[in-house]
Every structure is written in structure tokens, then in C-alpha cells.
Amino acid sequence: MTALSILDLAPVVEGCSVSDALVAATRLAKLAEEAGYRRLWYAEHHNTDALASNATALLIANAAANTSTLRVGSGGIMLPNHAPLAVAEAFGTLANLYGDRIDLGLGRAPGTDPRTAALLRRGARDDGEATFAANIRLLAWFFGDQTDDAESVQLSQGVHAGVARGTKVPLWVLGSSTAGAAIAGQLGLPFAAASHFAPFQLTEAIWTYRQMFNPSAPTAQISEPYVMAGANLMVAPTREEAEFLFTTHLQMFVGIRRGTRSPLMPPVREMDWAPHEEQMATSALRFSAVGTPAEAVEFLRTFAASYGIDEIILTGYAHDPALRERSFRLMAEEWAQDSSEPSAIAG
């Protein structure tokens, strides 16, 4: 059964503060638990006025503190921006505080522009595929029993992370291409595809992941492949309203491509964009469930069936946070009522 989850980037709305955005993020976490979503993840981003999801581990801690059963995690931590030891200590602390509710999704992209990446000390590191895979192996060791052997000593240089030991934090590999999919498969970990904004290699990535999957890898945490894929969401009582509200999302997307990172703008009746920008947005955001609850359910069920997806993680933006919350709530209610999968949200 296909499960539903939420990806939140803590959007900042024009005319509101970061504090307002974080209050809205807390409300969404509570809604996610009440509505029965499987998990809530936060994505790491930097140097933007549009998003407050900078300190991912702190957002996870806040959401976990304001819920009791919801899985909370990162979608993801951009690993080249962080030392694996620091990540292990942060997420080991979260696991000790909140138990078996914490996920650690790991990505290889910077989550920002090159100048900001350099200020995050990312520029001084090798962020190639081999290093990314080695750092994930090191994290798996930190979250395990930390028994020293030849490989672990080479990776950790004999350093241990007591707060992470034995927490067995679930690891996910995020990606938008066959490269990330191959790493996830080789390491025996679940794969999360960034298809909500980078759908272009989704078929090839999922095929590669399944072909490369190794349940016997020392890092393996699951016995068979598990695919999560991203989709955009805007649900309203009418299709016309949903399409109107979705223009806030479109404006943000086009703004990023233009190099602007302003707070979320109000919806508009007509987009002000060039033909190539419209084509680019239509292509990159092709996996978007925009319409009535029934239309969104139909779109997402077809999406999951077409690509063999085990879980869909939804992200959505609205100038009015209450309308974003309404969208996620309507989606949950319709999904749960669908006769073919009455318990699909909770999985």
C-alpha cells in the first residue's frame, strides 16, 4: 500500500517573519500527525528569504517535541555541508530524546549556491560519489555498536560518537539521478527521489536502484528495495481555486531560476513569465497534484502505480498558511476514504 508523507521547507510568506514561518511549521507537524501522514521531513536550504529550513536538526527536534507518534526526519541533510561526526551526534541526540521516530535522509547536493556552499566549508571537501558513500558507511557505523575493525578505523580514525551508539537511526539516500540511486542500492538503503522538482531521470533512477539493491551490504537496513518519490500538492474544494493558489508555488519556482529568493508571493490570475520559463516549470513540476481532493488522489495513485512507488512525499506552498494546511488535510481525508486503500496513509 502506498503511504503518504509530507516534506516541509518552512516557507516564509511575504509580509510575515521567520518566527511566523516556524509557528506555521509547528502547526503543520501537528496536522500531519492528526491526519495520519506516515512521516514529516524537513529539507536543508540556505541563503534564501523564501525558506526557513536552514537548521534541519532543530526543526526536527521542534516537530518531535510537538508530536508523539509521527516519524520526523530530514529530506535531507546535505551531507557535503556537514562533518559526519557532527551529523551522528545531532541525530543520535534526537534519537535518544524522541526514540524510534527519527529518520536521516542524506543528499549530495549543496542545497544552495556555490558562494554559500563555500561558507558552509563545503568547498574544502571532496563531494564526489565515492566520498558520499564512504560518509554514509561511517554514519551507519556511528549509529551501530561502533565495534572497531580495519575499515571502521580507517573511516573514523578511531573516533567514537557515544551519543549515537546503538541508536540505529534509519538512513535514506536522496537523489534525482541514477548516481544517487546506485549508491542507495549498493548500500541496501531506501531511496527517496526528488521527483517533485527534478523528475527527468525518475524511471532510470528507480530501475537502477532496484537492479543495484544489495540486502547483504554491511550498511543494509531493509531486506528489499523501498522507493519514496516526491510530488507537489495543492488541493482545494474546486479545481479553479487550486490552480489559482498553485501560482504561488510557480512564482517561487520561476524566481529561483531567475536568481531571486524572495518570500512567497500572493497567488495571481495570470503568471508573468516568458515562454521558456513556462515550459521549464511545466516540465520540472510535472508531478503536481493540483485540483480537487478526488482529482489529486487519482493523479497520485496513477503516479505511484506507473513508477512502482512505495511512498509519496508531498510538498506544497501557499501564501496563506491556513490554505496550505487545508490542502494537506483535504488530501489526507480523501486518501483515507478511497475504497481501494482505506488505510494507506498510516501504511
Side-chain angles (χ1 to χ4, degrees), residues 229-249:
N232 304 295
L233 182 74
M234 178 46 67
V235 171
T238 68
R239 181 173 185 80
E240 292 73 21
E241 183 184 2
E243 290 177 343
F244 173 63
L245 295 175
F246 191 64
T247 59
T248 290
H249 193 141

Side-chain angles (χ1 to χ4, degrees), residues 79-80 84 106-109 126-142 151 155 171-174 179-189 212 217-220:
L79 194 50
L106 299 161
R108 192 165 64 90
D126 174 11
D127 60 354
E129 295 166 19
T131 298
F132 182 56
N135 285 337
I136 295 175
R137 292 198 301 272
L138 177 56
L139 281 167
W141 181 80
F142 279 136
E151 182 185 18
L155 287 170
L171 302 176
W172 293 67
V173 177
L174 281 57
I183 291 172
Q186 291 165 354
L187 297 178
L189 299 173
M212 300 292 290
T219 50

Side-chain angles (χ1 to χ4, degrees), residues 197-222:
F197 71 90
F200 310 107
Q201 293 188 38
L202 182 60
T203 298
E204 296 87 344
I206 292 176
W207 183 88
T208 299
Y209 169 63
R210 295 189 183 280
Q211 290 294 310
M212 300 292 290
F213 186 79
N214 180 13
S216 300
T219 50
Q221 296 184 340
I222 52 177

Side-chain angles (χ1 to χ4, degrees), residues 233-296:
L233 182 74
M234 178 46 67
V235 171
T238 68
R239 181 173 185 80
E240 292 73 21
E241 183 184 2
E243 290 177 343
F244 173 63
L245 295 175
F246 191 64
T247 59
T248 290
H249 193 141
L250 293 174
Q251 289 177 85
M252 186 189 74
F253 180 86
V254 173
I256 292 172
R257 296 306 186 271
R258 291 175 177 173
T260 59
R261 300 175 176 85
S262 60
L264 297 190
M265 304 298 291
V268 293
R269 292 297 174 188
E270 185 173 345
M271 287 290 296
D272 179 18
W273 54 10
H276 74 277
E277 292 175 325
E278 180 179 6
Q279 182 179 20
M280 177 179 58
T282 301
S283 179
L285 303 179
R286 69 182 71 164
F287 297 131
S288 297
V290 180
T292 66
E295 290 170 336

Side-chain angles (χ1 to χ4, degrees), residues 291-345:
T292 66
E295 290 170 336
V297 165
E298 181 180 3
F299 178 91
L300 293 175
R301 292 224 183 277
T302 301
F303 175 49
S306 298
Y307 292 91
I309 295 166
D310 301 292
E311 184 171 344
I312 301 172
I313 189 162
L314 300 167
T315 189
Y317 307 94
H319 186 258
D320 182 346
L323 295 180
R324 179 174 75 141
E325 294 163 20
R326 183 189 68 175
S327 176
F328 281 114
R329 188 176 294 282
L330 289 173
M331 182 71 242
E333 291 171 353
E334 186 72 20
W335 192 267
Q337 290 173 5
D338 185 70
S339 59
S340 62
E341 285 188 73
S343 60
I345 294 181

Side-chain angles (χ1 to χ4, degrees), residues 1-24:
M1 293 186 294
T2 307
L4 285 188
S5 295
I6 295 176
L7 177 68
D8 189 10
L9 281 68
V12 180
V13 173
E14 179 200 35
C16 296
S17 66
V18 171
S19 295
D20 295 329
L22 297 179
V23 168

